[in-house]
Amino acid sequence: MVVMIGSSEEFSERFCPRYQRAVEIVGRRWSGAILRAMLRGASRFGEIQEAIPDLSNRMLSERLRELEAEGIVERIVMPERPVRVEYHLTEKGRSLNEVVEALSRWSQDWIEVEVAVQDGKRSAAAG
Amino acid sequence: MVVMIGSSEEFSERFCPRYQRAVEIVGRRWSGAILRAMLRGASRFGEIQEAIPDLSNRMLSERLRELEAEGIVERIVMPERPVRVEYHLTEKGRSLNEVVEALSRWSQDWIEVEVAVQDGKRSAAAG
DNA sequence: TATACTTGGTTATATTAAGTAACTCAAGTC
DNA sequence: GACTTGAGTTACTTAATATAACCAAGTATA
């Protein structure tokens, strides 16, 4: 079978390796939430974790390392006691703001949050 | 314990249950690629699968069912032989176009595609 | 009659990713 | 000497994906 590059418009229009890679980086579990927290100012490990319920330190650690490897996040160790580590978005990371904002708007328009009040815990609703 | 709505600004600014749900739906593996293919006109099972290399029919089937359950996709069975099934985006689904476009632009600006030519297979590069 | 081919899937099983909990390190405090 | 804090790591369990084979119903081919 002949490999068609540039001749199968249907295919090349529908599949884009750049988009695919982007969606695999940003779409990984928790990444979207981490990016949103960081775009809103969270920069320390504990701060990011605090901002995202149910995110474990194990997962946060792993995602941050991946985002660092992708050049989206920079890790800066401040030699204080106790050690202080700051995570900052690079330009590449900051430019994801448009994606996060678009998804944010969509979620405001289309997502209904279920009000799950369970005995003294947290209630989320009424936007 | 008192439930704080609107009183803990730091928390409520950084965490948004709507966004969280959105990112969990759209960010699930393959969903972003499926939505992009559908936004570009793919409507049949085989068509979507053809548009996304490495996506198995098992995963496509599962994702489509989930997207249908979320009201993002509609499944229409045409009683022909062999049976013909069409998947269409609802208004909710079509409005994800802005998210997909934002991610698409970001990927064009920031993602470098590795040219992996492996012995007669496919080569993806050179935008 | 038997074989293969089509679309749109399902089932079974293996592999990988994520969740949970406990632990580390180093300095500082009670 | 036990306890706290920040920023993780390690070990183990469970959930999500990958891989591959299979199915149903009708059509076509040998």
Side-chain angles (χ1 to χ4, degrees):
Chain A
M1 183 225 170
V2 179
V3 180
M4 298 178 287
I5 295 178
S7 64
S8 170
E9 290 113 70
E10 281 206 72
F11 181 82
S12 64
E13 259 180 32
R14 280 189 195 142
F15 183 72
C16 170
R18 279 175 225 270
Y19 176 86
Q20 191 60 30
R21 240 178 92 53
V23 95
E24 275 168 22
I25 296 163
V26 176
R28 198 159 284 162
R29 189 140 207 215
W30 301 114
S31 295
I34 292 167
L35 289 168
R36 183 172 182 277
M38 293 186 73
L39 283 162
R40 288 178 173 250
S43 62
R44 298 187 56 186
F45 192 92
E47 226 175 351
I48 300 170
Q49 202 180 6
E50 207 185 322
I52 307 167
D54 299 340
L55 170 59
S56 69
N57 45 8
R58 185 192 159 314
M59 270 297 106
L60 177 53
S61 174
E62 195 169 316
R63 282 302 99 91
L64 284 172
R65 264 186 277 118
E66 288 165 6
L67 293 172
E68 198 191 351
E70 292 293 341
I72 289 168
V73 159
E74 256 186 321
R75 183 178 188 269
I76 300 148
V77 184
M78 330 286 274
E80 298 173 14
R81 316 111 301 196
V83 69
R84 175 194 179 82
V85 181
E86 293 203 351
Y87 291 92
H88 291 283
L89 291 169
T90 60
E91 199 196 335
K92 184 175 177 178
R94 284 191 301 276
S95 70
L96 276 165
N97 187 243
E98 285 170 55
V99 178
V100 171
E101 279 305 304
L103 187 55
S104 210
R105 280 193 301 274
W106 183 81
S107 75
Q108 298 308 311
D109 293 346
W110 294 99
I111 300 294
E112 192 59 46
V113 185
E114 67 249 44
V115 187
V117 183
Q118 34 167 213
D119 150 62
K121 277 261 171 118
R122 191 180 291 93
S123 156
Chain B
M1 181 224 171
V2 179
V3 180
M4 296 179 289
I5 296 177
S7 63
S8 169
E9 290 113 69
E10 281 207 70
F11 181 81
S12 64
E13 260 179 31
R14 281 189 193 139
F15 183 73
C16 169
R18 281 174 223 271
Y19 177 85
Q20 192 60 30
R21 238 178 94 53
V23 95
E24 275 169 21
I25 296 163
V26 175
R28 198 158 283 162
R29 187 138 210 218
W30 300 115
S31 294
I34 292 167
L35 288 169
R36 183 172 181 277
M38 293 186 74
L39 283 162
R40 288 177 171 250
S43 63
R44 298 186 56 187
F45 192 92
E47 225 175 352
I48 301 169
Q49 202 180 6
E50 207 185 322
I52 307 167
D54 300 340
L55 169 59
S56 68
N57 47 6
R58 188 195 160 307
M59 269 297 105
L60 177 53
S61 173
E62 194 168 317
R63 281 303 98 92
L64 285 172
R65 265 187 275 117
E66 288 165 6
L67 293 172
E68 197 191 351
E70 292 293 341
I72 290 168
V73 159
E74 257 185 321
R75 182 177 190 271
I76 300 146
V77 184
M78 330 285 275
E80 298 174 13
R81 316 113 298 202
V83 69
R84 176 192 179 82
V85 181
E86 293 203 349
Y87 292 92
H88 293 283
L89 292 168
T90 60
E91 199 196 334
K92 184 175 178 179
R94 283 191 302 277
S95 69
L96 275 165
N97 187 243
E98 286 171 56
V99 178
V100 171
E101 280 306 304
L103 187 56
S104 210
R105 280 193 300 275
W106 183 81
S107 75
Q108 297 309 309
D109 291 346
W110 294 98
I111 300 294
E112 192 58 46
V113 184
E114 69 247 43
V115 187
V117 185
Q118 35 167 214
D119 155 58
K121 277 261 171 120
R122 191 181 293 95
S123 156

Coordinates of all heavy atoms in Angstrom, one line a residue, chain A residues 44-45 57 61 65 75 85 87, chain D residues 5-12:
Chain A
R44 N 3.6 27.2 44.8 CA 4.3 26.2 45.7 C 3.6 24.9 45.7 O 2.4 24.8 45.5 CB 4.5 26.8 47.1 CG 5.4 28.1 47.0 CD 5.7 28.6 48.4 NE 6.4 27.6 49.2 CZ 6.7 27.7 50.4 NH1 6.3 28.9 51.0 NH2 7.3 26.8 51.1
F45 N 4.4 23.8 45.9 CA 3.8 22.5 45.9 C 2.6 22.4 46.7 O 1.5 22.0 46.3 CB 4.9 21.5 46.4 CG 4.5 20.0 46.2 CD1 5.0 19.4 45.1 CD2 3.8 19.3 47.1 CE1 4.7 18.0 44.8 CE2 3.5 18.0 46.9 CZ 3.9 17.4 45.8
N57 N -0.1 14.0 46.6 CA 1.2 14.5 46.4 C 2.0 13.7 45.4 O 2.8 14.2 44.6 CB 2.0 14.6 47.7 CG 1.9 13.4 48.6 OD1 1.3 12.4 48.2 ND2 2.4 13.5 49.8
S61 N 3.4 15.5 42.2 CA 4.8 15.3 41.9 C 5.1 14.8 40.5 O 6.0 15.4 39.8 CB 5.4 14.4 43.0 OG 6.8 14.1 42.7
R65 N 6.7 17.0 37.3 CA 7.9 16.5 36.6 C 7.7 16.4 35.1 O 8.6 16.8 34.3 CB 8.4 15.2 37.2 CG 9.5 15.4 38.2 CD 10.1 14.1 38.7 NE 9.3 13.4 39.7 CZ 8.7 12.3 39.6 NH1 8.8 11.5 38.6 NH2 8.0 11.8 40.7
R75 N 11.1 24.6 37.7 CA 11.2 24.2 39.1 C 12.3 25.0 39.7 O 13.5 24.9 39.2 CB 11.4 22.7 39.3 CG 11.4 22.2 40.7 CD 11.6 20.7 40.7 NE 11.5 20.1 42.0 CZ 12.5 20.0 42.9 NH1 13.7 20.3 42.5 NH2 12.3 19.4 44.0
V85 N 10.3 25.2 47.5 CA 10.4 25.0 46.1 C 9.3 25.8 45.4 O 8.2 25.8 45.8 CB 10.3 23.5 45.7 CG1 10.4 23.3 44.3 CG2 11.4 22.7 46.5
Y87 N 7.3 26.6 41.7 CA 7.0 26.2 40.4 C 6.5 27.3 39.6 O 5.5 28.0 40.1 CB 6.1 25.0 40.3 CG 6.7 23.7 40.9 CD1 6.5 23.4 42.3 CD2 7.4 22.9 40.1 CE1 7.1 22.3 42.8 CE2 7.9 21.7 40.7 CZ 7.8 21.4 42.0 OH 8.3 20.3 42.5
Chain D
dT5 P 2.4 21.5 61.2 OP1 1.4 22.5 61.5 OP2 2.1 20.1 60.8 O5' 3.5 22.0 60.2 C5' 4.5 22.9 60.5 C4' 5.4 23.1 59.3 O4' 6.5 22.2 59.5 C3' 4.7 22.8 58.0 O3' 4.9 23.9 57.1 C2' 5.4 21.5 57.5 C1' 6.8 21.5 58.2 N1 7.3 20.2 58.5 C2 8.6 19.9 58.4 O2 9.4 20.7 58.0 N3 9.0 18.6 58.7 C4 8.2 17.6 59.1 O4 8.6 16.5 59.4 C5 6.8 17.9 59.3 C7 5.8 16.9 59.7 C6 6.4 19.2 59.0
dG6 P 4.2 23.9 55.7 OP1 3.9 25.3 55.3 OP2 3.1 22.9 55.6 O5' 5.3 23.4 54.7 C5' 6.5 24.2 54.5 C4' 7.4 23.6 53.5 O4' 7.9 22.4 54.0 C3' 6.7 23.3 52.2 O3' 7.5 23.7 51.1 C2' 6.5 21.8 52.3 C1' 7.6 21.3 53.2 N9 7.3 20.1 54.0 C8 6.2 19.8 54.6 N7 6.2 18.7 55.2 C5 7.5 18.3 55.1 C6 8.2 17.1 55.6 O6 7.8 16.2 56.3 N1 9.6 17.1 55.3 C2 10.2 18.0 54.5 N2 11.5 17.8 54.2 N3 9.6 19.1 54.0 C4 8.3 19.1 54.3
dA7 P 7.0 23.6 49.7 OP1 7.7 24.6 48.9 OP2 5.5 23.5 49.6 O5' 7.6 22.2 49.2 C5' 9.0 22.0 49.2 C4' 9.3 20.6 48.9 O4' 9.0 19.8 50.1 C3' 8.6 19.9 47.7 O3' 9.4 19.2 46.9 C2' 7.6 19.0 48.4 C1' 8.4 18.6 49.6 N9 7.7 17.9 50.6 C8 6.4 18.1 51.0 N7 6.0 17.3 52.0 C5 7.1 16.4 52.2 C6 7.3 15.3 53.0 N6 6.3 14.9 53.9 N1 8.5 14.7 53.0 C2 9.4 15.2 52.1 N3 9.3 16.2 51.3 C4 8.1 16.8 51.4
dG8 P 9.1 19.0 45.4 OP1 10.3 18.4 44.7 OP2 8.5 20.3 44.9 O5' 7.9 18.0 45.5 C5' 8.1 16.6 45.1 C4' 8.8 15.8 46.2 O4' 8.1 15.9 47.4 C3' 8.9 14.4 45.9 O3' 10.1 14.1 45.1 C2' 9.0 13.7 47.3 C1' 8.5 14.8 48.2 N9 7.3 14.4 49.0 C8 6.1 15.0 49.0 N7 5.2 14.5 49.8 C5 5.9 13.4 50.4 C6 5.6 12.5 51.4 O6 4.5 12.3 51.9 N1 6.6 11.6 51.7 C2 7.8 11.6 51.1 N2 8.7 10.7 51.5 N3 8.2 12.5 50.2 C4 7.2 13.4 49.9
dT9 P 10.1 12.8 44.2 OP1 11.4 12.8 43.4 OP2 8.8 12.7 43.6 O5' 10.2 11.6 45.3 C5' 11.4 11.4 46.0 C4' 11.3 10.1 46.8 O4' 10.2 10.1 47.7 C3' 11.1 8.8 45.9 O3' 12.0 7.9 46.4 C2' 9.7 8.4 46.1 C1' 9.4 8.9 47.5 N1 8.0 9.3 47.8 C2 7.3 8.7 48.8 O2 7.8 7.7 49.4 N3 6.1 9.1 49.0 C4 5.4 10.2 48.4 O4 4.3 10.5 48.7 C5 6.2 10.9 47.4 C7 5.7 12.0 46.6 C6 7.5 10.4 47.2
dT10 P 12.3 6.5 45.5 OP1 13.7 6.3 45.5 OP2 11.6 6.7 44.2 O5' 11.5 5.4 46.3 C5' 11.4 5.4 47.7 C4' 10.7 4.2 48.3 O4' 9.3 4.7 48.7 C3' 10.5 3.0 47.3 O3' 10.7 1.8 48.1 C2' 9.0 3.2 46.9 C1' 8.3 3.9 48.0 N1 7.3 4.9 47.7 C2 6.1 4.9 48.5 O2 5.9 4.2 49.4 N3 5.2 5.8 48.1 C4 5.3 6.7 47.0 O4 4.4 7.5 46.8 C5 6.5 6.6 46.2 C7 6.7 7.5 45.0 C6 7.4 5.7 46.6
dA11 P 10.5 0.4 47.4 OP1 11.5 -0.5 48.0 OP2 10.5 0.6 45.9 O5' 9.1 0.0 47.9 C5' 8.8 0.0 49.3 C4' 7.3 -0.6 49.5 O4' 6.4 0.5 49.2 C3' 7.0 -1.7 48.6 O3' 6.3 -2.7 49.4 C2' 6.1 -1.1 47.5 C1' 5.4 0.0 48.2 N9 5.0 1.2 47.4 C8 5.7 1.7 46.4 N7 5.1 2.8 45.8 C5 3.9 2.8 46.6 C6 2.8 3.7 46.5 N6 2.7 4.7 45.6 N1 1.8 3.5 47.3 C2 1.8 2.5 48.2 N3 2.8 1.6 48.4 C4 3.8 1.9 47.5
dC12 P 5.8 -4.1 48.8 OP1 5.8 -5.1 49.9 OP2 6.4 -4.3 47.5 O5' 4.2 -3.8 48.5 C5' 3.3 -3.5 49.6 C4' 2.0 -3.0 49.0 O4' 2.1 -1.8 48.3 C3' 1.3 -4.1 48.1 O3' 0.0 -4.3 48.6 C2' 1.3 -3.3 46.8 C1' 1.2 -1.9 47.2 N1 1.7 -0.9 46.1 C2 0.9 0.2 45.9 O2 -0.2 0.3 46.6 N3 1.2 1.1 44.9 C4 2.4 0.9 44.3 N4 2.7 1.8 43.3 C5 3.2 -0.2 44.5 C6 2.8 -1.1 45.4

